[in-house]
Amino acid sequence: MGKMTIGHLARVEGHGGITVHIDGEKVTRVDMDVYEGSRLYEALLVGKRYSEVASITSRVCGICSAGHALCATFAVEDAFGVPVPPTAKILRDLLIHGENIESHALHFFFLALPDFFGKKSVLHLQGDAPELVSAGVSLKKLGNRIQEIVGGRPVHPVNLCPGGLVSPPSPGELRELLSQMENHLDNVDLITSEVEKVKVPELLSREATFVALTSDEPDYPFTGEKIKTSAGEEYPLGEFRRICHERVVRHSTAKQSLYSGKPFMVGALARIVINGEKLGGKAREVRERLLPPDPSRTPLHNNNAQFVELVHSLEESARLIRVLLDSDTSEVRSGDVIPREGSGIGALEVPRGTLYHYYEFDGEGKVRDAEIITPTAQNLANIESDLTICAENAPLENRLEVVRRLEMVARAYDPCISCSVHIIRKEERGERSG
Amino acid sequence: MSKPKVGFFGLTSCAGDQLMVLNCEDELLKIAGEFEICEFTMAISGHYDGNLDVAFVEGIVAHEKDLKTLEDVRKRSKILVAFGTCAAYGGLPSMEGKFDFNASLKKVYGEETDFLKKLGTRRASPIDRFVKVDFVLPGCPVERDEFLITLASLRKGTLPEFFRRPLCCECKEKENVCLITEEGEVCCGPLTNSGCGARCPSLGSPCAGCRGPLEEIHFDAKAKVYETMGMPLEKVVEKMKNFSAPAWVVSGMEGK
């Protein structure tokens, strides 16, 4: 039995590779290998005070640090019944959009786009697609600026606390953001036309299950009271383990998430499949231009789905800032937090998909148990399944072409390997690659 | 002088420091023009195994592969920079939790954990336990401005000198209210490396010590300072260890 390996997958966060197992001329299996060390956050959290949980878990991931910090804060607030003032809720939504803009711009323009032009990096793309490079750079910068102004820092936010935010941004800072957002929104049609020119290759076509949070509210949701699948089932947040049913794979070090025994996909594409009807304004137009009516057949549409969400987050952030500028924003934090024994769940759609944090606290507010389920951990089984289909269709005699295709498919998921690693420790089965 | 050859490397980490490189959006093209970026797997395809003038290394050693990469990078680099608090002081993954390493593995992976060690998993450590570190850029994440200043110096063939004071100095310059004396908060400012402009206390949140401990801490004097502020030093050290536990063991201040 032969195999083909990609040692270290470039342009993704963390350390991972791909191994294609081949029997004769037939692909038998494709593994997504993870060789990131274990950081054991869930064990380290035990005994820590509730007030430290957000700061500690934001370090699970540099790219979605605001998402982890928020999700942990939601869980603490759920456990202790902490109210959050309306202004703080709006600011937190703004932070979610800031992270979404930064992370999607990073992935769409910096990490994924070079593939479509056969280039090594965004730095090598300048000559081929100057408009896209410059839009990507400035959108990414805006996402960071939102996170800096609302979260206190572009990476690992310091302005969140149970009950709201530590300190409100000034109206001047909000106006600065609004004017940048308006400039970007004026430019959306132009950039969309450039994105439209980039053709999505037919590397695989399959049916898949998608999962995202949803809500009864009319807005396109990033938080929600229910988990919904593309098959139409809905579950309350408390039943997240039914969705993320983890399978221990004894012959490897991985646990993988399966729903009803099958892999599933989370992320921007899943959100659009499940909640896309709720998109309005420019984002709806852009969706119609960049995605087919049913975009579910290939994960490569996740790239354009991220661009659609980028436009949505721009529009939504501008709207939220207008609301903030029209209201008194001084109250961003509720009163004292009173810890009590019990448990809490936080769930949030972060750029790569649904994130769950679950904690149990003792009477003093110290963590007794912690569980973090990241989007990439949920996607892993689906990535492998898609890679297998992709490899089956690829010309195995042309190694470079196989590698190119597999990398594009894996990258489309925007995998965040560090994030997933506390529950996935996956090495190849039997022998080492990479 | 010719363009310095640089590489950015991530060991086990959150990639937040490598992300800070990409977060220099306005300067990125200029950086790519002034330096030869030979290796930066997070952002650029391709592998390079030649010599480097400067290697920026983020993260901890938590896997045999990390150690292999680190030793290889050290061998081919003139200057090795500990890039961020994880690399420099061990960071959060090296903190002392309720469980020891083996119990932590069991907590996360279940009873059978021998296979993890066979695969190369090891207890998290900062990089100076294994190789010589030429320069430290602390921070969780590193501060953008300090990174850019470092690059500017490197371009001229030298290293910058950051004057590391207690974070309190920057806090005072901002005329913030002292969170220790006024609010009774456990603030790590007096023991922590300056350079972030006292981000957290400026917002009204105590310093968590994410930039790691000052190189020379006069503990007896600090204890007195904290005592006059009504805050036991041990409580502050305990908090600081979240980000820099291994550094405290070495300093012999473990018991303080």
Side-chain angles (χ1 to χ4, degrees):
Chain A
M1 205 150 92
K3 59 177 191 169
M4 192 184 283
T5 58
I6 300 170
H8 189 167
L9 194 55
R11 279 185 279 124
V12 301
E13 192 288 322
H15 306 93
I18 296 171
T19 306
V20 185
H21 298 266
I22 303 162
D23 189 1
E25 286 174 10
K26 202 173 170 305
V27 172
T28 52
R29 194 180 74 231
V30 179
D31 296 337
M32 175 98 182
D33 309 316
V34 171
Y35 0 93
E36 186 91 17
S38 306
R39 292 177 295 161
L40 307 170
Y41 275 106
E42 284 144 321
L44 293 172
L45 281 162
V46 176
K48 295 292 169 187
R49 278 181 65 78
Y50 72 90
S51 48
E52 293 177 293
V53 170
S55 152
I56 292 172
T57 55
S58 95
R59 269 74 182 191
V60 171
C61 176
I63 304 176
C64 48
S65 55
H68 277 282
L70 263 173
C71 202
T73 307
F74 290 160
V76 170
E77 287 164 352
D78 182 44
F80 304 154
V82 184
V84 178
T87 306
K89 283 189 180 159
I90 298 177
L91 283 163
R92 287 176 174 188
D93 283 346
L94 185 57
L95 181 63
I96 294 171
H97 288 299
E99 176 174 88
N100 215 37
I101 292 171
E102 195 281 331
S103 178
H104 282 354
L106 171 70
H107 177 254
F108 184 89
F109 296 99
F110 284 50
L111 308 184
L113 199 62
D115 283 329
F116 293 83
F117 291 86
K119 295 289 174 186
K120 281 167 68 178
S121 82
V122 70
L123 298 168
H124 301 80
L125 204 58
Q126 186 71 1
D128 300 81
E131 295 88 356
L132 289 175
V133 172
S134 121
V137 168
S138 65
L139 280 165
K140 186 175 165 324
K141 191 179 165 194
L142 171 63
N144 274 329
R145 191 72 188 130
I146 299 172
Q147 294 186 87
E148 174 131 40
I149 286 173
V150 183
R153 190 156 63 182
V155 176
H156 303 320
V158 291
N159 198 25
L160 288 169
C161 61
L165 269 75
V166 182
S167 168
S170 72
E173 288 171 320
L174 292 174
R175 274 193 290 271
E176 172 208 318
L177 290 178
L178 182 60
S179 103
Q180 288 182 36
M181 286 162 193
E182 285 168 343
N183 288 342
H184 278 288
L185 283 166
D186 289 343
N187 209 18
V188 160
D189 283 327
L190 204 77
I191 299 305
T192 305
S193 305
E194 291 300 314
V195 175
E196 236 172 349
K197 290 180 199 159
V198 182
K199 292 293 164 234
V200 181
E202 279 270 349
L203 300 185
L204 73 158
S205 176
R206 57 22 173 186
E207 279 178 23
T209 302
F210 296 86
V211 176
L213 296 179
T214 197
S215 147
D216 291 332
E217 304 293 318
D219 306 327
Y220 183 81
F222 287 88
T223 54
E225 63 282 354
K226 286 178 294 192
I227 309 164
K228 191 174 173 184
T229 75
S230 52
E233 296 107 331
E234 294 186 348
Y235 300 94
L237 296 185
E239 292 182 28
F240 71 93
R241 287 188 198 85
R242 287 183 64 175
I243 298 287
C244 312
H245 182 73
E246 281 175 8
R247 182 178 58 155
V248 177
V249 189
R250 280 288 162 204
H251 52 274
S252 87
T253 49
K255 289 179 183 177
Q256 299 186 349
S257 272
L258 295 177
Y259 167 65
S260 299
K262 285 192 182 141
F264 60 92
M265 181 172 182
V266 293
L269 182 58
R271 290 191 285 263
I272 286 185
V273 166
I274 288 170
N275 295 311
E277 284 309 310
K278 291 182 171 180
L279 283 169
K282 256 223 144 70
R284 196 179 183 90
E285 283 172 37
V286 172
R287 183 209 148 164
E288 275 157 26
R289 287 174 67 182
L290 296 182
L291 290 173
D294 173 15
S296 69
R297 311 286 305 187
T298 167
L300 287 176
H301 285 314
N302 193 49
N303 296 325
N304 280 359
Q306 288 189 339
F307 185 81
V308 173
E309 278 199 347
L310 230 163
V311 175
H312 169 74
S313 282
L314 269 177
E315 287 182 299
E316 228 0 62
S317 314
R319 186 185 71 80
L320 294 172
I321 290 184
R322 287 193 194 98
V323 172
L324 288 168
L325 287 172
D326 278 343
S327 51
D328 173 17
T329 56
S330 53
E331 200 199 330
V332 292
R333 189 176 189 172
S334 60
D336 287 341
V337 176
I338 301 154
R340 64 185 184 208
E341 192 174 357
S343 64
I345 300 170
L348 175 66
E349 286 292 334
V350 292
R352 288 157 196 78
T354 323
L355 173 65
Y356 303 94
H357 280 223
Y358 170 83
Y359 302 102
E360 282 172 28
F361 294 100
D362 66 15
E364 292 171 50
K366 287 188 175 165
V367 176
R368 204 179 263 160
D369 201 8
E371 193 174 352
I372 301 168
I373 300 187
T374 64
T376 300
Q378 295 169 66
N379 273 334
L380 193 87
N382 216 56
I383 298 178
E384 289 193 339
S385 152
D386 280 357
L387 289 174
T388 305
I389 299 169
C390 177
E392 282 167 358
N393 297 333
L396 290 181
E397 67 286 356
N398 185 347
R399 186 192 138 86
L400 279 180
E401 177 61 14
V402 179
V403 168
R404 187 186 76 88
R405 291 188 186 187
L406 293 177
E407 287 197 342
M408 277 178 91
V409 170
R411 231 171 250 138
Y413 278 85
D414 191 4
C416 186
I417 292 169
S418 302
C419 251
S420 65
V421 126
H422 66 291
I423 57 169
I424 305 172
R425 270 287 319 146
K426 180 161 184 186
E427 292 275 352
E428 52 296 328
R429 303 148 215 230
E431 64 260 90
R432 291 184 91 107
S433 74
Chain B
M1 67 185 281
S2 61
K3 284 186 192 178
K5 289 184 160 75
V6 301
F8 296 94
F9 301 88
L11 307 178
T12 292
S13 66
C14 77
D17 300 306
Q18 292 168 85
L19 181 62
M20 286 307 289
V21 177
L22 299 174
N23 284 353
C24 298
E25 289 96 354
D26 288 339
E27 297 84 6
L28 209 51
L29 286 172
K30 182 134 201 246
I31 295 171
E34 293 289 326
F35 291 86
E36 194 181 328
I37 304 176
C38 297
E39 196 163 344
F40 189 1
T41 311
M42 182 173 160
I44 305 172
S45 297
H47 185 70
Y48 171 84
D49 46 21
N51 288 337
L52 292 162
D53 292 301
V54 193
F56 291 87
V57 179
E58 167 178 15
I60 45 164
V61 173
H63 193 278
E64 294 301 334
K65 262 193 199 294
D66 290 330
L67 188 55
K68 225 173 118 188
T69 305
L70 179 63
E71 285 172 344
D72 168 57
V73 170
R74 176 68 273 186
K75 259 183 232 152
R76 46 195 184 95
S77 309
K78 279 189 203 143
I79 295 171
L80 189 146
V81 180
F83 197 40
T85 289
C86 273
Y89 309 112
L92 279 168
S94 311
M95 80 165 79
E96 291 159 14
K98 219 180 167 82
F99 307 108
D100 65 15
F101 178 58
N102 288 325
S104 295
L105 287 177
K106 284 191 165 60
K107 169 102 186 73
V108 177
Y109 292 101
E111 281 306 307
E112 273 183 50
T113 55
D114 285 352
F115 69 112
L116 285 166
K117 287 185 193 157
K118 276 184 205 148
L119 289 168
T121 303
R122 48 188 299 160
R123 200 192 186 299
S125 303
I127 63 174
D128 65 0
R129 297 295 180 276
F130 309 98
V131 297
K132 180 173 163 266
V133 170
D134 301 302
F135 192 69
V136 170
L137 259 183
C140 185
V142 293
E143 288 292 330
R144 202 175 152 279
D145 289 353
E146 288 200 346
F147 169 61
L148 289 172
I149 290 168
T150 306
L151 282 184
S153 300
L154 286 167
R155 185 67 186 91
K156 291 182 181 154
T158 174
L159 278 164
E161 222 165 288
F162 294 114
F163 177 40
R164 300 282 177 224
R165 307 173 286 165
L167 195 88
C168 298
C169 298
E170 291 179 334
C171 202
K172 292 283 159 271
E173 282 160 15
K174 294 212 163 170
E175 301 184 353
N176 294 327
V177 169
C178 177
L179 294 167
I180 304 175
T181 55
E182 301 304 312
E183 308 282 341
E185 301 257 24
V186 185
C187 182
C188 300
L191 306 184
T192 300
N193 281 315
S194 62
C196 66
R199 275 183 192 270
C200 297
S202 300
L203 290 163
S205 197
C207 171
C210 83
R211 295 179 55 75
L214 287 154
E215 206 167 311
E216 286 176 21
I217 300 178
H218 301 285
F219 277 92
D220 293 342
K222 292 283 183 191
K224 273 187 199 143
V225 173
Y226 271 111
E227 198 186 323
T228 58
M229 297 192 285
M231 179 66 55
L233 178 64
E234 305 85 69
K235 260 186 136 169
V236 188
V237 171
E238 191 196 323
K239 187 170 179 179
M240 284 216 70
K241 282 185 184 170
N242 275 354
F243 283 93
S244 52
W248 292 90
V249 176
V250 164
S251 72
M253 291 302 159
E254 174 71 339
K256 292 259 175 179

